[in-house]
Amino acid sequence: MTSKEKGILIVLSGPSGVGKGTVCKALRGCAPDLVYSVSATTRVPREGEVDGVNYFFKTREQFKKLIDTDQILEWAEYVGNYYGTPRQFVEETLNSGKDIILEIEVQGALQVKQKFPQGVFIFLLPPSLDELESRIVGRGTESEESIRSRMSVAMDEFRLMDYYDYAIVNDKVENACSRIQSIIVAEHCRKDRVFSKIKQWMVEVK
Amino acid sequence: MTSKEKGILIVLSGPSGVGKGTVCKALRGCAPDLVYSVSATTRVPREGEVDGVNYFFKTREQFKKLIDTDQILEWAEYVGNYYGTPRQFVEETLNSGKDIILEIEVQGALQVKQKFPQGVFIFLLPPSLDELESRIVGRGTESEESIRSRMSVAMDEFRLMDYYDYAIVNDKVENACSRIQSIIVAEHCRKDRVFSKIKQWMVEVK
């Protein structure tokens, strides 16, 4: 309606193996206006990685300060390094009127929900449990024990779907993308988003 | 997910002159799977009108009985005849797994909301107040007083937008159709709709 309408934070999450990364990559092709959240990390940049594009590279002290000042929407430690989502980049994008998508593990998404409940939380599902298992097996890098463990974690994560707004099935990547795009359009049409403009109309006429 | 998933009732409403009928007509072309609600009426069938297709034709006694037995989702009297939305057709369509759309005046939509709160209520807006006025004027059938009166009713109806789930702008008919289709897709992806299936998965594995 107005050019000054705020963007929407979309959080795409789901169990390991469900295809979050593949769907997000495909979205870049079909939803060019969508901004992709850039994570912060304390790990050392690899060759060719650009600060602010691939990651925001931080020292441990800088990262800890971001956490302490509530400037990180979610974070985790992984193989000795911090990884997280800086609030500033998300908020600046939203204030500029653009939508931003954050692809993230299930636990991280719940952290984001606490700090940013106005986000739109989408849970990505496999078409079936068998399909999820064969995708994990298909990576060829997992032992049988590890596959069982991943499936068990996935089952726990399915229970957390209740904290999400939407659940979409990743039967085909293009279908999943199209569903996400529909959700974004629909969320922009939510009455509360449009109502403020209409209130102006009523003032004009009175 | 399952073929036995229930359909969704979509209620499209908005002030007179906003283009509800035009949008609904265009939707028939681009959303062929959507079922259109058939109204009941006590008026005499015109030549070529088919019972159950154009209207469900009822006697006054039959119509009153439908009202008394809560078989009408909303109704009004207009030029001496009853018009209304029969519950049975809506519920049978939803139970068959199909979505059904009901195009209706703002007051009627609020009646439906009371009886069918699980419906998805979409308010159609003009791009601007000037545009609404010129659409009403453009019909060429209204006196200046009648135009003022219609605009005043529209202003009252905008306030009722608060009872709706979505508000979409009818800037172009094809845009409005596409937004409605996105809303329908998104509503099918709502977590609660999908959750029941996932619960089955958890039973399977336990």
Side-chain angles (χ1 to χ4, degrees):
Chain A
M1 306 278 297
T2 60
S3 56
K4 269 295 150 208
E5 190 188 319
K6 263 195 166 191
I8 297 174
L9 170 64
I10 299 114
V11 178
L12 182 67
S13 188
S16 168
V18 84
K20 294 187 291 293
T22 314
V23 168
C24 242
K25 204 169 167 185
L27 261 182
R28 285 179 192 257
C30 58
D33 290 341
L34 201 54
V35 176
Y36 294 79
S37 173
V38 177
S39 297
T41 183
T42 57
R43 85 153 162 71
V44 175
R46 290 176 193 148
E47 202 176 314
E49 284 185 338
V50 178
D51 186 49
V53 175
N54 305 92
Y55 283 97
F56 293 107
F57 293 101
K58 304 284 177 189
T59 64
R60 285 186 82 84
E61 290 63 38
Q62 288 172 328
F63 203 105
K64 280 181 180 166
K65 197 177 170 191
L66 289 175
I67 296 172
D68 291 342
T69 54
D70 199 28
Q71 284 301 306
I72 291 281
L73 292 179
E74 56 80 36
W75 64 277
E77 203 167 351
Y78 181 71
V79 203
N81 285 304
Y82 288 131
Y83 292 82
T85 303
R87 180 192 285 272
Q88 190 183 354
F89 183 74
V90 168
E91 292 196 335
E92 281 176 1
T93 305
L94 297 178
N95 288 336
S96 79
K98 288 187 179 166
D99 300 324
I100 184 167
I101 190 162
L102 174 58
E103 176 218 330
I104 195 175
E105 301 302 316
V106 173
Q107 296 292 347
L110 297 185
Q111 282 187 53
V112 177
K113 195 176 164 79
Q114 289 192 330
K115 301 208 184 240
F116 220 94
Q118 67 271 45
V120 172
F121 292 78
I122 305 177
F123 197 100
L124 197 62
L125 288 167
S128 68
L129 286 184
D130 287 349
E131 180 63 27
L132 179 64
E133 189 164 343
S134 60
R135 284 182 196 177
I136 294 173
V137 171
R139 292 180 174 180
T141 54
E142 313 281 336
S143 67
E144 203 161 311
E145 195 191 323
S146 150
I147 291 164
R148 268 203 307 277
S149 153
R150 277 180 180 279
M151 286 301 288
S152 161
V153 170
M155 296 313 294
D156 289 339
E157 290 180 337
F158 287 138
R159 289 186 183 88
L160 300 174
M161 207 181 99
D162 204 26
Y163 295 97
Y164 288 70
D165 303 300
Y166 296 96
I168 64 175
V169 179
N170 186 21
D171 45 359
K172 282 186 183 173
V173 172
E174 56 269 34
N175 292 348
C177 284
S178 151
R179 287 170 191 136
I180 293 170
Q181 287 180 288
S182 289
I183 289 170
I184 295 172
V185 170
E187 285 290 328
H188 276 285
C189 294
R190 290 211 149 265
K191 173 252 307 179
D192 289 335
R193 292 203 141 244
V194 185
F195 203 45
S196 52
K197 171 68 182 279
I198 304 310
K199 276 184 187 156
Q200 288 175 22
W201 289 3
M202 291 188 274
V203 174
E204 280 170 36
V205 167
K206 265 201 168 172
Chain B
M1 307 275 298
T2 61
S3 55
K4 268 295 151 208
E5 190 188 317
K6 264 196 166 192
I8 296 174
L9 170 64
I10 299 113
V11 178
L12 182 67
S13 188
S16 168
V18 84
K20 296 186 290 295
T22 313
V23 168
C24 242
K25 205 169 168 186
L27 261 182
R28 285 179 192 257
C30 58
D33 290 342
L34 201 54
V35 176
Y36 295 78
S37 174
V38 177
S39 297
T41 183
T42 58
R43 87 153 160 73
V44 175
R46 292 178 191 146
E47 202 176 314
E49 284 186 335
V50 178
D51 186 49
V53 175
N54 304 93
Y55 284 97
F56 293 107
F57 293 103
K58 304 284 177 192
T59 65
R60 284 186 82 84
E61 290 63 38
Q62 287 172 328
F63 202 106
K64 280 182 182 167
K65 198 176 168 190
L66 288 175
I67 296 172
D68 291 343
T69 55
D70 198 28
Q71 285 300 306
I72 290 281
L73 291 180
E74 57 78 35
W75 64 276
E77 204 169 350
Y78 181 71
V79 204
N81 285 304
Y82 289 130
Y83 292 81
T85 303
R87 181 192 284 273
Q88 190 183 353
F89 183 74
V90 168
E91 292 196 337
E92 282 175 1
T93 304
L94 297 178
N95 288 336
S96 78
K98 287 185 179 166
D99 300 324
I100 184 167
I101 191 161
L102 174 57
E103 177 218 329
I104 195 175
E105 301 302 314
V106 173
Q107 297 291 346
L110 297 185
Q111 282 186 54
V112 176
K113 194 176 165 82
Q114 289 192 329
K115 302 209 184 241
F116 220 95
Q118 67 272 45
V120 173
F121 292 79
I122 305 177
F123 197 99
L124 197 62
L125 289 167
S128 68
L129 285 183
D130 286 347
E131 178 63 27
L132 179 64
E133 189 164 343
S134 60
R135 285 182 196 178
I136 295 171
V137 172
R139 292 179 174 181
T141 54
E142 313 280 338
S143 68
E144 202 161 313
E145 195 191 324
S146 152
I147 291 165
R148 267 203 308 277
S149 153
R150 278 179 181 278
M151 287 300 289
S152 161
V153 170
M155 296 313 294
D156 289 339
E157 289 179 338
F158 287 138
R159 288 186 184 88
L160 300 173
M161 208 182 100
D162 204 26
Y163 295 97
Y164 288 70
D165 303 301
Y166 297 95
I168 64 175
V169 179
N170 186 19
D171 46 358
K172 283 187 184 174
V173 172
E174 56 269 34
N175 291 349
C177 284
S178 151
R179 286 169 192 138
I180 293 170
Q181 288 180 289
S182 288
I183 289 170
I184 296 172
V185 170
E187 285 290 328
H188 276 285
C189 295
R190 290 211 149 265
K191 173 255 303 179
D192 289 335
R193 294 205 139 242
V194 186
F195 204 45
S196 53
K197 171 68 181 280
I198 305 311
K199 275 185 187 154
Q200 287 175 22
W201 290 2
M202 290 188 272
V203 174
E204 278 170 37
V205 166
K206 265 205 165 166

